[in-house]
Each structure stands twice: as C-alpha cells, then as structure tokens.
Amino acid sequence: MELSKNYIPASVEEKWYQHWMDQNYFKSEPDDRTPFTIVIPPPNVTGVLHMGHTLNETVQDILIRKARMTGYNACWVPGSDHASIATEAKVVDMLKREKGIDKNNLSREDFLKYAFEWKEKYGGIIYNQIKRLGCSVDWERVTFTMDDHYYKAVIKVFLDLYNKGLIYRGARMINWDPVAKTALSDEEVEYKDVTGKLYYIKYEILDDGQPTTDDRKFITIATQRPETIMGDVAVCANPNDERYAFLKDKKVIVPLINREVPVIFDEYVDKDFGTGILKITPAHDINDFNIGLKFNLPVIDTLNEDGTLSEAAQIFIGEDRFVARKKIVEGLREKGLLVKEEEYTTRLGYSQRTNAVAEPKISTQWFVKMKDLAQPALEAVTSGKIEIHPNEKFNATYKYWLENVKDWCISRQLWWGQQIPAWYDEEGNVYVAESEEQARKQIDGHDDRELKQDEDVLDTWFSSWLWPMEVFHGISDPGNKDIEYYYPTSVLVTGQDIIFFWVARMIMAGMEYKHERPFNDVYFTGMVRDKLGRKMSKSLGNSPDLLTLIHEYGADAVRFGIMISSPAGNDLLFDESSLEQGKFFNNKLWNAMKLLKMWEEGKVQEATGKGHQSGEFALQWFENRLQEVRSEVENLMSQFRLSEALKTIYSLIWDDFCSWFLEWIKPEYGKSISHEVYERSVSYFDELLQLLHPFMPFITEEIYHLLKDRKDDLMVKQFGPVKESNPEILSLGNKLKNLITAVRDAKNKNNLKPKEAVSLFIETSDEKSFDLIKEILAKQTHADEIIFNKVPDTAAITTVAGNEKIYIKSDATIDTSVQKEKLEKDLNYLKGFLITVEKKLSNDKFVQNARAEVIELERKKKADAEQKIKVIEQTLASL
RNA sequence: GGGAGCAUAGCUCAGUUGGUUUAGAGCAUCUGCCUUACAAGCAGAGGGUCCGCGGUUCGAACCCGUGUGCUCCCACCA
C-alpha cells in the first residue's frame, strides 16, 4: 500500500469516531469494575464551543480515555444547559429580527414553542463540535436541564427546600436587569470601574420660623444619580459633624418636586466625602434602604421595570433613566440649584448577560437561605474530602465566599425555565405544591377559589446545581442503580470563573441530597486568551471558530496545541503556532510509522550492523526509557499536570524514539532489520501510541491499524503495568548519547563532514561495555578506528563526554584553546562542588538525620566529582 | 478597603523540598544542508544583571526582608 507523504487528518477522524461509536466504546453501564465518572459542564444549549470549552473538553477527554485504558469503567456524561436568561434573550432577539414578533404580544405557550424550536435547531451545534473534537462521551446519556425528569427534579428540590424552610418569598433589595426585565442574583452582576460625574445639588432648608445657629438657606448634597432625587425621603448627616448640627429637627425641600423631607443623623455618613451630607433614597440604593429601615422611612420607587421613570417620580414620567438624568441636571441648572459637576470614578454593576447597568430595586422574589447549606459544603473542602487543583489558591476564595454567603435570589421574570411551583389565590395566599391540584388541597375549607401559578421561572443555576446527581436521575429517581454506582463522580473540570455560580452550589446540593460530595477532585482550567492576553470575545473578533481550526490542523493538532500551551491552572494565551507544532508532530509520527513499515516490507532477515549487540542494546535501552517515562507520566497525570505529561511524551517520541532509537537500529542502505528487532520495535511503538492516545486519539488509532493488521482497537487497549527501569542501562544509554554528540560536535567545530571517517581514542573506566560502545560509535559517528585506553601520540581533537575522554584523529586543523577554557571552567566548578559535598558528609547532624539513600547519593556525587576532576586534570595536562 | 497570585531568552512558559541547571524547552530569528521515514525535516548559531535592593548560606532563579510593576477575586462610601 502506498502511504501518503504526510498525514492527512480529515478522512481519518470521521472514520474512527464512527467506528468507536459503532463498537459502543463510549457507552458505560454499571458493572463490577470501579467507575471513573465525569459529568460535562453543560454548555449553553444555543451556544457554540469557544476555546475555553475546547480546553475543558480536551482535558476531560484525556482523563476519561486514560481511565478507560487503565481499566476503569469510564463514563463521561454529555449534555447542555437551558441557560434561561441567555437563551431567552436570543430567542426574543430572533423573534423580533426574523419574524417581527414582540415577546409582549405572545402567550407564554407560544413563546415556549418558539424557544423549543430554536433549541432543536441550534442545540445540536455544540454536540457536533464535541464529536469533531473526538470526545468519548456516552451519547446515550445526553441530558438537558429541561428534560422531563430534570424538570421534575428541580421542582422536587424546590418543594423540599420550601418545606424545610430553606426557601422563602419576600421583598428584598435585589439587582434588577432593566433590559431583560428580571431579577438577578448577586453573582450575575459584574462590577466595572467607570468614570461618572458627581453632581452637587442645592436642597433648600424649610423655613419653619425657628431660629438657628446658622443662617444658610441651602445645603449642598453630592450625588451620582440625580434622577433618583424624586425618591428621596430624607437627607442624612453624621451626628458628630458640627457643620450640620444646626439642621437638627429641620426639614429640607427636594428640588423640582418640592417634597418636604426630614434631616436625620447617622454615623454611616462619611464626614469627609462629598459635602458630608447624603440624600436617602431607599428604593434605589442598598445603603439607603438599610438606613430607611432603621429610621422607618417610606420607600418611593421611581423606576419602572424597564428602567424608565414611573409615575411616582412625578416628572419626566416614562423617560429612560439616563435621559431623565440629563434633563434633571438641566432643570436643576436652570433653577440655579446645581452647584457643580465633578469627574468621578466609581464602580457600576452590569448584568452579566445583557450588559445593562443593573438597578438596585426592592422587589418580591424567591430566595434560598444559604447559611445551613453552606456549612457542609465548606466542610467538604476544608476537610480535604474534595481536592481543588491545580493548587490551593482557590481554597481561600471558596472558603471566604461560603462563610459570607448571602441568600440566593432564584426567581427570574422569564418564561424559559422551570416555572415556580407556587399558586396564589385572590387574597394573595401562597400555596407551594407540585401541581395546581395539590395546591388546591392546601386550601382550608372551600377549594373553589381561583388559583394562579407564579409567572416566574427559576434561575438556571437552580437546575445546574443538581447536575452531577440528576444526569443519573439521582433526584427524580433516588436510589436507582446508576446514581448508586456512578456517584460521587471522579473529577469536575471547569473554569474558575464559575466557582461560586456552580461549583460551590453543586457541593451544597450534593451534601444536602446525597450527604456526599459530588466529586472527588475539582480541576480548574485557566482562561483562554488571545496571544496579546486579551479575553476571547465576539466583539474583538479574536475567538477562532473550532471547526475551522479542526479543518485546518486536524482535531489531534488542536488538542495538542491547546494542551501543550496550557500550564495547569494558569491562563493560556492561545496561539495558532502551537497548533502547527501539533500538526508537525502528527507528521513525525506518521513518518516513524512509515519507516517501520518499510522495514517490514523489506522482509530481509539480516541482522543490523556487524552483530546483534548494538541492536539488542538499543532495544533494551528504549524499553527501559519507555518505562521510566511511563512512570513519570503517571505521576504527572495524577497531579493533573497534563501539559507537562504531554511534553514528556512528545519528547520521548521525538527525541528518544525517532532521533535515537530508530537511528540506532536503522540498517544500512538496502538492508533490513531482523524480524525480532522489528517486532520488538513495533511493540514499543504501540506503547508510545497508547501513551499518546488520550491526548491525540485519532492519529494514534490510525497508525496503530496501519502499522499492522489488528484485531483490537487502541482506544480500548489496556495499559500493562509500569515496569521498573534499569538505571544501569539508562545511564549507559546516556553515556552513548553523550559520546556520539561529543564526536559530532567535535567534527562540526573542526569542519569535518558528519560522514567523514575519523579515528577515536577513548579513555573510559567502563570496560565491560567496550564492545558495545565500539559498535554503536562506529556506526553512528563513522569512526573507522576506535581505540580504548590509549592516548595517541598526536592528539587531534580532545573532548570530554561524561567520564570519558575522547581524542579524535583526522587531517583537520586543531584548535584546542576553546576546549581548554571550557575544561578549566568545569574544573573550578567541580572543585567547589566537591568541597561542599565533603562538608555535608562530614557534618554529623546530616549523617545522623538523613535517610540512607540520601547519604548514598551524596557519596556517589562525591565519587563522581572526584573522578571527573581526575579526567579533566589529565586532559588539561595533555593539551 | 480586604485577600490571593505573578515577575526567568523576542514570545509562551519549565525549573517539586537550595547542589551536574557555571540557567532549560517550544515557538520566533539567523546559518548550513532537498542525506535513501520525515524540508511539516536534519545539523548548528545567536539571544538571559533569573524585576531592583538588602539578608541567610561554602553555594540562591529557588529561602527571608524590602521596593517596584502587573493580574485576579471579594467589598454598600453617596
């Protein structure tokens, strides 16, 4: 069969994904193996996968494939989130743009019909992308947070928490999104620094005929939000502020609407900020609200749901809040009540979804009491039952949030989501139940009253927090065999930005309903940024399309590129050049396979080189090197240091396998290697492919099959046990590498051609490996003569490799000055080093306390250093 | 205002208990090579006061102090 010059991913990827699916490899059912479970962080149903998802998904697939090949019953559950506010906003937008329909003119039922249509149409996009990336998820377990069982589970939890007294309804100050016209949770508000203005406004002091110690007619108050003055119910000064003592028992007049409001005194007011006097607007500021409660002041809400001024404002009714601000400032200026405007930097809260400035607002909403739920969730992490990776740095933030957690506003004034199971009668009584019939049963006496269900739906996260349980129907059907088998899940892989939204709340829900952590480990990936360090965003246009990247580089290269540049937990700067590196790596693998294949097709049963020894050594060395790396990789992966594990494998394949091993066993032109060497080489290559497979599944599977006819598939091939590696063979290998490199170096420095024959004179203490060294060196360095332990009369080029000293004889001119300088440097260092090691060894404390192997290591270091010093001194003397 | 983290080559980062690291990798740059698996390759080269300053040590990129610069999270100063 003719193999293409380079690896072409396109056809290969689809073929294998289909094959894996046909073989049911992704499917998992409870059995007697140990489960390894991951639940995907469900992406928004109508979204597309961005680079952040790509990173998360790749990490999860690596972990799940590795576990599957290690003998676990690996189960990765895919799914998507209905994302109530985000999706509803998109559907509303689509209806307006494509069909000219205003949501306000639709019934709830009709709207939901459109929303589900939209979900059907676009919901498949992310699943397709997950497939293209090669993710081995169990497609029979796809879960959507609005599935029937899921919907039921959410309602069930709501009722349960309500009955436990952990859910209540009440009027509180909440964050309001005037664009989506819904309440938000505190976490859905993002604060940004903005430059605003501080307006200084004159309030007239009401002349009540009483004499005062001050004859001022006005006081000046600084505010950022002049449009809220119509909601003013008091002004407030610090009781210790003598400037305003004369205002005791006075009233002031709110400008433009001429409302008389009292002057109150509270220590909350900072004397040194602004004018030291504060207007109190309880409806539109959390602090004012608290002061209002304290002084029993009325609340005048001057804003409508959409952010326009309400009738309570009396003026500029119906104007948008920001337009009204300008007009009011204008009005104040005309009346001479505006003292000045000042530039001022402040932090404003923005709705995460609509980017509208969030409005603090008094509103009747549903809340979850968090304190009791938080306690076990806190314990689960501080006790170490759940480990957060890559490091401890998130423990502190997690702890702080849970210790200071506030009640969670869970009602949203939307349609897309689980409708709150509460019914109201005409008198406003509330009946919480799973259905209207059940609600009716709660009514005392007559049950003929008209009941109306709460219009609102629940926060998306109120469904997401059940995810690790309900994907296994653990809430709707508790005690079923899936939930008992798969829960708690093994690892949660997610972005650190949703630690509060999701991670903490999942732990709460898990502790509440399963009395068990939902996952053993949490692995936080960093943010994916562009190479300039900016966040990926649509508006910047710096977020590449996943399918385009896969098309250009292949899925394996995309996975490679994103993993190789993804140090655990740090943000990663996405750069396509790393994908290119992945593509090149594909090709290297491809060509290594071609080389092996060529030898097989040669079929000549001739030994490599002059004897079997060098081939045998190459095999032994690589076998040991392979085991050494395997144990390194195990270690790195158990610490979730995937990027380093990949680097290690990359270097094993490229440097050790391709550059050294294959070169060592490579036969002379026209000859082939022995059958045994071939078979063993192939078996090592198989192991390499297996090791790499979790990271780059497609190409490894393809090569595995191209190399030989196989009955099995690499994807489900089980790892053998990691064998111990023999340090002597490894160090002999290193010695050889050093010698060969040193000879090449020397040739290069002296303008000899790589293939030019030279004579080598080697001094070495390692007598038992003479023959082997000779054979390999002869082959790899084109030495025509190799003599041990003999210094030639006219030493040509001298070089030191490890403990060996090499003289190379040729006709080339000799330049020893550079060599000398380097050797002298080495000598100085080694002498210093020797002194310190000796000191350590003569230190009683050290000898007594250190472990035997540590002392042995030090002794060996000492011996090494002494040996090297001897060699170098001799060399220098002969120069 | 409170807390956390970071600073190593042009760029992105390794450097895991201070000692073969007299500082490494990949990418980028430059110089040779189309050598019979691979030019998507091979062989080389240049490039670093390991942020500044002090301290501990025989020895510091690593430990301690301090200064500077950047990032993130949390918080109700109009």
Side-chain angles (χ1 to χ4, degrees):
Chain A
M1 181 180 52
E2 191 66 29
L3 289 171
S4 65
K5 193 168 177 229
N6 294 321
Y7 173 66
I8 302 156
S11 58
V12 171
E13 295 180 351
E14 215 155 302
K15 175 183 78 186
W16 285 115
Y17 200 87
Q18 192 56 47
H19 176 76
W20 294 329
M21 294 238 281
D22 292 344
Q23 298 292 316
N24 270 331
Y25 291 152
F26 300 162
K27 201 179 160 200
S28 171
E29 289 289 339
D31 59 23
D32 47 15
R33 289 175 295 167
T34 312
F36 184 94
T37 320
I38 295 181
V39 291
I40 207 169
N44 289 356
V45 66
T46 61
V48 293
L49 295 191
H50 55 245
M51 294 319 289
H53 290 119
T54 307
L55 172 63
N56 287 346
E57 265 45 304
T58 304
V59 167
Q60 290 169 76
D61 196 41
I62 290 165
L63 296 174
I64 212 90
R65 282 179 186 269
K66 176 80 184 350
R68 191 180 288 117
M69 294 167 90
T70 313
Y72 291 98
N73 183 350
C75 179
W76 185 11
V77 183
S80 55
D81 193 305
H82 67 282
S84 70
I85 185 166
T87 305
E88 179 150 334
K90 276 191 185 172
V91 175
V92 167
D93 188 52
M94 175 277 290
L95 286 173
K96 200 188 289 170
R97 222 159 3 102
E98 290 175 17
K99 310 194 181 209
I101 302 174
D102 187 345
K103 182 192 161 190
N104 296 325
N105 300 331
L106 279 176
S107 69
R108 188 183 192 109
E109 287 65 36
D110 287 342
F111 178 82
L112 287 178
K113 217 177 73 200
Y114 283 120
F116 272 108
E117 269 172 25
W118 166 273
K119 180 234 158 189
E120 287 309 316
K121 189 168 169 195
Y122 295 100
I125 294 176
I126 47 169
Y127 293 138
N128 182 41
Q129 290 178 319
I130 287 171
K131 280 181 188 166
R132 292 292 304 277
L133 200 56
C135 296
S136 55
V137 299
D138 185 348
W139 289 110
E140 289 173 35
R141 293 184 182 274
V142 175
T143 306
F144 176 52
T145 52
M146 290 248 282
D147 285 344
D148 286 346
H149 71 91
Y150 210 112
Y151 200 113
K152 252 187 242 163
V154 170
I155 299 303
K156 191 172 168 184
V157 164
F158 184 94
L159 295 177
D160 180 67
L161 291 177
Y162 179 80
N163 292 330
K164 286 176 180 159
L166 292 176
I167 282 183
Y168 64 91
R169 182 170 184 259
R172 298 283 186 282
M173 177 70 78
I174 48 99
N175 292 292
W176 183 264
D177 180 335
V179 171
K181 288 185 247 176
T182 177
L184 301 170
S185 64
D186 296 344
E187 289 70 34
E188 284 168 302
V189 178
E190 284 175 349
Y191 291 88
K192 291 178 204 164
D193 278 328
V194 289
T195 310
K197 277 191 177 142
L198 202 52
Y199 302 91
Y200 288 77
I201 299 170
K202 274 156 80 170
Y203 282 53
E204 190 182 351
I205 301 165
L206 184 71
D207 185 4
D208 54 6
Q210 301 295 318
T212 66
T213 55
D214 195 304
D215 56 0
R216 269 185 279 175
K217 293 272 188 294
F218 295 92
I219 52 168
T220 305
I221 295 177
T223 178
Q224 289 180 59
R225 305 200 53 194
E227 73 276 16
T228 64
I229 61 172
M230 293 82 76
D232 289 357
V233 293
V235 299
C236 186
N238 191 304
N240 302 320
D241 191 342
E242 285 167 15
R243 293 175 295 172
Y244 296 114
F246 74 97
L247 288 173
K248 196 164 173 356
D249 297 328
K250 290 280 178 189
K251 288 191 168 183
V252 297
I253 298 167
V254 178
L256 302 183
I257 57 167
N258 301 324
R259 179 189 298 134
E260 292 174 18
V261 299
V263 180
I264 58 174
F265 295 88
D266 192 277
E267 299 201 335
Y268 165 76
V269 180
D270 181 351
K271 288 191 285 187
D272 301 323
F273 189 88
T275 59
I277 192 156
L278 177 65
K279 72 192 198 66
I280 303 295
T281 321
H284 301 292
D285 185 283
I286 179 71
N287 303 305
D288 293 10
F289 179 71
N290 291 334
I291 293 173
L293 282 180
K294 193 167 164 185
F295 289 84
N296 202 18
L297 297 168
V299 175
I300 301 172
D301 188 344
T302 58
L303 285 175
N304 291 317
E305 291 181 349
D306 60 357
T308 56
L309 298 205
S310 69
E311 290 191 13
Q314 299 178 38
I315 50 174
F316 303 122
I317 296 163
E319 291 279 12
D320 180 77
R321 53 195 164 144
F322 298 116
V323 177
R325 177 182 298 178
K326 281 189 191 129
K327 292 193 171 171
I328 284 164
V329 169
E330 220 29 66
L332 291 168
R333 184 174 288 135
E334 277 167 22
K335 294 206 157 138
L337 294 173
L338 186 70
V339 180
K340 61 172 175 175
E341 301 173 30
E342 231 172 43
E343 292 266 311
Y344 182 66
T345 304
T346 186
R347 284 173 74 72
L348 277 186
Y350 289 82
S351 164
Q352 199 186 40
R353 288 297 161 199
T354 64
N355 212 27
V357 176
E359 196 66 50
K361 187 175 163 73
I362 307 293
S363 178
T364 302
Q365 302 286 345
W366 291 89
F367 296 87
V368 179
K369 271 190 200 161
M370 297 297 266
K371 230 178 159 187
D372 293 349
L373 292 171
Q375 196 46 45
L378 182 59
E379 225 271 321
V381 170
T382 50
S383 69
K385 276 186 213 142
I386 298 176
E387 279 186 52
I388 299 184
H389 304 271
N391 53 44
E392 308 276 300
K393 86 177 177 195
F394 297 107
N395 286 5
T397 32
Y398 178 83
K399 197 172 161 222
Y400 182 85
W401 189 77
L402 281 177
E403 282 172 350
N404 298 284
V405 68
K406 286 184 227 141
D407 287 356
W408 173 17
C409 174
I410 51 169
S411 43
R412 297 288 180 278
Q413 287 64 55
L414 302 165
W415 284 342
W416 179 241
Q418 285 92 3
Q419 193 170 359
I420 292 175
W423 280 262
Y424 306 96
D425 63 17
E426 291 140 6
E427 293 162 22
N429 297 314
V430 186
Y431 308 95
V432 172
E434 62 187 358
S435 65
E436 190 175 335
E437 290 73 51
Q438 294 295 321
R440 204 165 284 284
K441 283 184 190 162
Q442 296 176 19
I443 305 175
D444 294 335
H446 309 288
D447 59 357
D448 55 349
R449 282 183 233 183
E450 198 177 313
L451 288 183
K452 206 162 174 278
Q453 188 175 359
D454 196 309
E455 288 285 321
D456 296 348
V457 300
L458 291 160
D459 181 9
T460 284
W461 301 102
F462 191 84
S463 57
S464 317
W465 72 334
L466 308 176
W467 187 251
M469 292 182 280
E470 192 49 29
V471 292
F472 301 114
H473 299 244
I475 297 284
S476 55
D477 177 20
N480 77 69
K481 83 179 191 297
D482 277 4
I483 185 79
E484 293 308 312
Y485 180 74
Y486 291 112
Y487 191 94
T489 68
S490 306
V491 194
L492 176 79
V493 179
T494 190
Q496 50 201 292
D497 48 332
I498 52 178
I499 181 167
F500 306 134
F501 274 119
W502 196 45
V503 180
R505 287 175 185 157
M506 271 192 290
I507 299 173
M508 290 182 195
M511 298 310 287
E512 179 71 16
Y513 288 100
K514 289 292 295 174
H515 306 292
E516 172 69 287
R517 64 207 152 151
F519 23 70
N520 302 330
D521 293 280
V522 179
Y523 177 82
F524 282 119
T525 58
M527 294 266 289
V528 181
R529 298 168 180 279
D530 71 4
K531 62 178 168 187
L532 300 174
R534 301 173 303 182
K535 274 190 183 177
M536 295 268 182
S537 79
K538 270 186 201 152
S539 55
L540 279 172
N542 57 358
S543 182
D545 174 57
L546 180 59
L547 294 185
T548 311
L549 291 177
I550 290 178
H551 179 74
E552 190 169 346
Y553 298 96
D556 289 322
V558 170
R559 293 166 63 117
F560 177 94
I562 201 154
M563 287 311 300
I564 202 81
S565 52
S566 169
N570 289 351
D571 286 359
L572 93 95
L573 305 198
F574 179 79
D575 185 347
E576 284 196 26
S577 73
S578 68
L579 305 201
E580 200 161 43
Q581 195 191 344
K583 196 164 113 180
F584 295 168
F585 186 39
N586 276 341
N587 204 44
K588 191 73 182 175
L589 285 162
W590 181 255
N591 279 294
M593 180 271 290
K594 268 168 60 185
L595 181 64
L596 281 171
K597 198 91 180 128
M598 222 173 70
W599 292 340
E600 187 218 9
E601 280 158 5
K603 300 275 188 217
V604 184
Q605 299 279 318
E606 187 170 331
T608 170
K610 288 172 189 168
H612 287 279
Q613 208 184 356
S614 71
E616 178 57 30
F617 175 76
L619 290 165
Q620 276 185 21
W621 170 75
F622 190 74
E623 184 174 354
N624 279 284
R625 179 77 189 118
L626 182 60
Q627 296 305 321
E628 190 187 27
V629 168
R630 275 191 61 191
S631 100
E632 264 175 53
V633 168
E634 286 295 325
N635 186 27
L636 289 169
M637 301 236 348
S638 70
Q639 297 173 57
F640 295 93
R641 299 168 72 159
L642 305 185
S643 166
E644 283 166 63
L646 177 55
K647 270 179 196 161
T648 308
I649 298 170
Y650 175 82
S651 156
L652 174 71
I653 292 175
W654 201 298
D655 302 331
D656 293 321
F657 187 75
C658 293
S659 298
W660 288 107
F661 175 75
L662 288 180
E663 293 299 328
W664 282 356
I665 63 162
K666 200 176 197 172
E668 285 165 41
Y669 184 57
K671 295 184 177 175
S672 187
I673 58 177
S674 75
H675 185 68
E676 195 210 333
V677 173
Y678 173 74
E679 285 300 331
R680 282 171 68 185
S681 304
V682 167
S683 80
Y684 299 151
F685 195 42
D686 282 354
E687 283 200 60
L688 292 180
L689 293 175
Q690 199 180 3
L691 205 50
L692 183 63
H693 180 267
F695 297 88
M696 304 173 80
F698 294 113
I699 186 172
T700 47
E701 188 78 82
E702 170 76 0
I703 287 180
Y704 182 71
H705 285 272
L706 279 177
L707 198 52
K708 261 187 161 186
D709 272 337
R710 314 272 189 173
K711 294 197 181 74
D712 61 341
D713 290 318
L714 185 64
M715 182 189 153
V716 289
K717 196 176 170 190
Q718 299 295 299
F719 281 112
V722 179
K723 281 174 245 150
E724 229 167 85
S725 46
N726 180 338
E728 272 181 38
I729 292 179
L730 287 170
S731 87
L732 182 55
N734 282 337
K735 183 181 286 180
L736 277 162
K737 283 169 151 183
N738 282 339
L739 283 169
I740 294 166
T741 312
V743 173
R744 281 185 195 156
D745 246 31
K747 279 187 175 178
N748 189 281
K749 289 223 168 67
N750 290 276
N751 294 323
L752 299 177
K753 293 224 169 72
K755 284 194 168 177
E756 198 167 331
V758 289
S759 300
L760 300 181
F761 301 85
I762 301 172
E763 285 193 354
T764 178
S765 54
D766 195 354
E767 291 183 29
K768 60 183 184 217
S769 317
F770 280 177
D771 289 349
L772 177 65
I773 294 175
K774 219 167 172 173
E775 190 182 322
I776 294 185
L777 267 184
K779 194 175 153 214
Q780 297 300 326
T781 67
H782 300 274
D784 60 353
E785 184 185 20
I786 299 175
I787 299 159
F788 284 96
N789 284 324
K790 189 181 171 199
V791 181
D793 305 332
T794 50
I797 303 155
T798 318
T799 183
V800 173
N803 287 341
E804 281 69 33
K805 189 162 69 159
I806 308 171
Y807 304 91
I808 302 171
K809 197 177 173 189
S810 79
D811 295 333
T813 343
I814 308 151
D815 177 13
T816 53
S817 62
V818 177
Q819 203 64 43
K820 203 171 166 185
E821 203 175 298
K822 186 174 176 290
L823 288 174
E824 274 165 357
K825 257 185 166 178
D826 281 355
L827 192 62
N828 279 341
Y829 168 74
L830 284 168
K831 278 183 174 169
F833 179 70
L834 189 62
I835 291 164
T836 64
V837 176
E838 276 171 346
K839 225 177 222 177
K840 203 166 177 180
L841 281 170
S842 62
N843 183 338
D844 291 344
K845 225 174 167 184
F846 172 76
V847 176
Q848 276 165 23
N849 295 336
R851 283 174 305 165
E853 47 193 295
V854 174
I855 295 172
E856 189 48 44
L857 197 73
E858 291 299 323
R859 292 221 172 93
K860 198 164 173 293
K861 279 181 191 166
K862 187 185 159 191
D864 275 5
E866 280 169 346
Q867 170 72 17
K868 278 177 199 163
I869 286 169
K870 224 170 99 188
V871 171
I872 293 175
E873 275 175 347
Q874 278 173 17
T875 311
L876 279 172
S878 69
L879 280 175

